[in-house]
Structure formats: structure tokens, C-alpha cells
Amino acid sequence: MLASGERDYGWVVFGPLFLLAAPFLVLSGWGLFSFGQGWAATYGVTGTQGTVTITGLDRDGHPRTPATCQGDFQPDRGGRRPGVQVEHSGECRPDRRLPARLAAGTAYEAGVWSWSRFMVTVLVTVLFVVTGIATLGFGGAFVQLARQHFRGDD
């Protein structure tokens, strides 16, 4: 509890820190969700089992966007879903057929997981967590020093 006439400067430090951290935490959460979804589909935990036939590359009309492999997915139960994104090992050679699982519009090659595709997401998330903890720690120390300074404690 603060004595009368004293101000609490904690919100001045922590408010902007939380506002700055929020987009990074949301993006990290989305990246980790995507990572988990891809892993679960690859190893048969989720998704629809079937076969994907690669149809080619899609650059999405943007020259800076990396090309993604596209294909037609055919579930084992029948039917067909054209134009899905394909996550697989190897090259995007048209007419290549792979066993796959479809989850959220992406066909993941069954049993083959590419850790390197999501390693950046995992590393950035760890970096955000460590930086956030350190920032909040330094922010707390700053608030304590500010309180001592304005109280006249040395």
C-alpha cells in the first residue's frame, strides 16, 4: 500500500510493455499452434488420411513470397479436394503422389516431419519468452528504483 501523496509508477512501465508484447505473443501462439497441427497431422493424430497428388507450384502472385507446393487431395474414404497446400520433403514435381493427411487445408506428408520448417517459429518463441521475462524483471527493478528515488530513500 502506498502512503498518501505517493504515486505508483508500475503502470507507466508495465502498460506499454504489455502492449508491445501482445502482438508478438499472439504471433508466437499462432506459430506454435501451426507447428503442433502439422506435427499431429504428419503422425496421424489429427486430419483426414488419404493421398495427395502434386500439381505444381503457386507463387500467389507476389514475387517475394516463396512458392508453395500445391496439389489435389483424395481421402481414403473417397472424394477429392483440389488446390491444397502440400507440406512434404523433396521437390514439387508435378504428378508425384504421396500418402498424406489433410488438416486445415494443408496436406502433410504422412510420417515425414520437417523440423527445419518450424525451427524458426520455435526459436523465435523461446526468444520472446526469455526477452519478456527479462524485460518484466528489469521493469520491476526500475519501478522499485523509481519508488525509492521519489521517496527520497537512498
Side-chain angles (χ1 to χ4, degrees):
M1 200 74 190
L2 297 175
S4 64
E6 289 185 13
R7 293 191 178 130
D8 185 11
Y9 293 97
W11 65 271
V12 173
V13 174
F14 290 114
L17 288 177
F18 285 126
L19 289 176
L20 289 172
F24 295 113
L25 293 174
V26 168
L27 289 172
S28 295
W30 175 76
L32 287 176
F33 174 76
S34 176
F35 171 82
Q37 177 180 312
W39 183 89
T42 295
Y43 290 108
V45 177
T46 62
T48 305
Q49 187 171 340
T51 304
V52 67
T53 304
I54 296 174
T55 56
L57 291 173
D58 181 21
R59 290 206 177 270
D60 202 19
H62 298 92
R64 291 186 180 173
T65 304
T68 57
C69 199
Q70 298 292 310
D72 294 337
F73 182 78
Q74 184 171 2
D76 287 348
R77 291 178 269 151
R80 183 172 166 260
R81 179 141 180 216
V84 298
Q85 182 176 339
V86 181
E87 292 283 340
H88 73 291
S89 60
E91 56 189 66
C92 281
R93 204 174 55 238
D95 296 326
R96 182 175 176 207
R97 294 176 52 89
L98 305 165
R101 293 188 74 86
L102 184 69
T106 301
Y108 295 90
E109 184 178 3
V112 179
W113 180 246
S114 175
W115 289 100
S116 63
R117 287 185 184 268
F118 290 96
M119 192 53 66
V120 171
T121 301
V122 172
L123 291 175
V124 167
T125 301
V126 169
L127 177 67
F128 285 151
V129 168
V130 169
T131 303
I133 290 170
T135 302
L136 292 176
F138 289 131
F142 174 78
V143 169
Q144 272 189 317
L145 288 173
R147 284 181 183 157
Q148 288 175 356
H149 175 73
F150 288 110
R151 282 188 198 145
D153 299 341
D154 285 329

